[in-house]
Amino acid sequence: MSKSRRAFLADTAGALAGISLLPRTLDLAPVRLVEPVRVGLIGAGRQGRAIITELQKLPDVTIGAVCDTSPSRLSSAQARAPGSQAVEDFRAVLDMEDIPAVFVATPTHLHREIVEAAIAAERHVYCEAPVAATVEDCQAIAGAAGASSRVVHAGFQARSNPVYRRAQPLFQTELGNLISMGGHYHHKTSWRFPSTEADGAAAVNWRLDPEVSIGLAGEIGSHQLDVALWFRGTSPSSAHGAGGVRFHRDGRKVPDTVHVDVAWDDGPSFHYEATLANSFGGRYEVFHGSNAAIKLADSHGWLFKEVDAPTQGWEVYATRQQFFQDEGIILVADATKLAAQGRLKDGVGLPYPSLYYALADFLKSVTEGTPVACTAAEGVRSTIVGILANQAVISGSSMDLSILE
Amino acid sequence: MGTRFELILGDQGDPTWLRSIGELALEEIRWCHERFNRFSSSSLLTHLRRSKPGSSVRVDRDTFALMRSARDVCHASDGAFDPSGGRAMADLDLDEDHSTITLRGTGIALDFGGIAKGFALDRAASVLREHAVESAFLHGGTSSALGIGTQPGGAGWGVSLSEPRSGSNVFLQDQALSVSAAWRDNPNPTRDPRTKAVIPAPRRVAVVGPTATLADAWSTAALVLGTRPPNLGPEWSVSFA
């Protein structure tokens, strides 16, 4: 039996070579701002508490106030941000003259009122993503942000993540012809939260309330779709979806498993799959091209080159490693310098979680005027795709995305 | 923490509700792991170790409490328990008013592996209690365990310290258990942090008391000392095997 040249090359190379994508400079020291800044947190649920944790690592930041309508969450947040003032009404935070910047981490459907009020009070705003739960709210936030001189940053973290920033230009230069795009989110969890307050269960389980929830496609998928929108730089034209409750049969209406195809007129679709019923594979995005594939998984990323793809000069510096069945290449930028400083032992992942970089980007925009890493307009665009993708899942039909034009 | 944690919720409540509480407790354990994993480049512990000598790092109240407990047991055990590798936590300044931690030198080897599992169990138990769970058993890697209330049926949560079929010989009721051991032919034997001497093996100690965090710390100290730590309060029981 004769072998094709393509098969021979694949055998010889042990299939694809994986190149680990790491930022050019692994900056291990905490981000410093040009001046100290006091900030307020509005919404102290899981994401709010995660924001506190990362803000504590920024030496120039003081959390002046935390806000939540739930006494137990407020108490927990204050324990995580010692010295902060705890208030139940977000307007009290906006009244504090010494707090120029706020983080909005309430349930998605409550963002609009708070963001609009914060912008009206001339505060800089970091709005967690997805930005809102309806197209109308998205447009209102985009309008208010567009008319404001303050920083309004949408919390799509990938845009600040050094691994994704490293990958974005490679998407343009290394992939060749774009063949397919995909996103994957598998996490076995109920998405249901208990409440310590008598009437709190409905409020904390807003993700499972079909009246306000934008489902997996919106809440999680919009983050992963944002990577595709950012890398492609153009807007998709339609979304088709399907889904259902495959495992958590506890009376919920919001699907625990979804499949979405978001289509571009000028190229391949982004296929998205998410489930709360299985954890295998976790969360990642993958982009396939004729020369290479890029896989991104939060703190790690890889470039898998086809054996017939042109070799770039920088690959010479890569370190080889067995990568499952393939011989891969790990590229650790600044490896010599890091080794000399004894820092390689810190590992090859990111020195900080991706949320940290998004928060730091926002605060640098506030204090130094650096460009906003993810503007309200960009965040609204990806959010609308997520909202309409969820509607496609619910309806089982196609949704027109021409509203993005 | 590199080990498996398990929860048994003994309440006869709605399974959906219990599952959501269990998930929240496991998330708290995961958060502890993310803070104190010395092998992770993005953990709080790594951030602390990377911080410029003399610079203060703000931490949450729980993390501060863990650091304080570690320091207190280190001093009370005369250094037999020492997460700072024999430096008696001397390079660590704790400022309670500002909830800050300051490392005074570089290359300080902080390792909370001997106490983090217990801390995670205490945090998870706190979540369960906040949500009115009155009967639960939690363990991390089987060497740290905690019982809330009693088992369905009335007895404390039974744990066997020897052969699984020999029956329970510790019953935990709102108590925690920590077991530390030194084994023969261990390629990485346990050492006395003060003298670096290898702990005689085999030696195993089980400590039972009010919190899993302190149980972990004191069982390590007892293993090193080879006897009940002199400063350990009467609410603690210690047994060697």
Side-chain angles (χ1 to χ4, degrees), chain B residues 1 7 17 33 55 60 76 118 120 128 174 190 226 241:
Chain B
M1 290 170 277
L7 316 178
W17 178 73
H33 173 70
S55 63
D60 58 276
L128 297 179
D174 297 317
T190 308

Side-chain angles (χ1 to χ4, degrees), chain A residues 45-48 105-109 129-130 185 189-193 201-216 219-220 252-255 276 390:
Chain A
R46 283 195 316 162
Q47 188 63 14
T106 60
T108 306
H109 63 284
Y185 178 82
T189 182
S190 68
W191 239 24
R192 189 180 289 285
F193 299 93
V204 298
N205 287 304
W206 53 273
R207 291 177 188 82
L208 297 179
D209 179 356
E211 293 297 315
V212 296
S213 175
I214 55 175
L216 277 166
E219 280 299 327
I220 309 292
R252 72 180 63 195
K253 304 288 186 204
V254 173
L276 302 176
N390 178 58

Side-chain angles (χ1 to χ4, degrees), chain A residues 46 61 79 190 346 350-351, chain B residues 23 27 31 41 50 58 61:
Chain A
R46 283 195 316 162
V61 178
S190 68
D346 286 330
L350 285 175
Chain B
E23 287 176 351
E27 190 172 287
W31 192 56
S41 61
R50 278 199 300 253
R58 278 189 310 273
R61 292 286 185 207

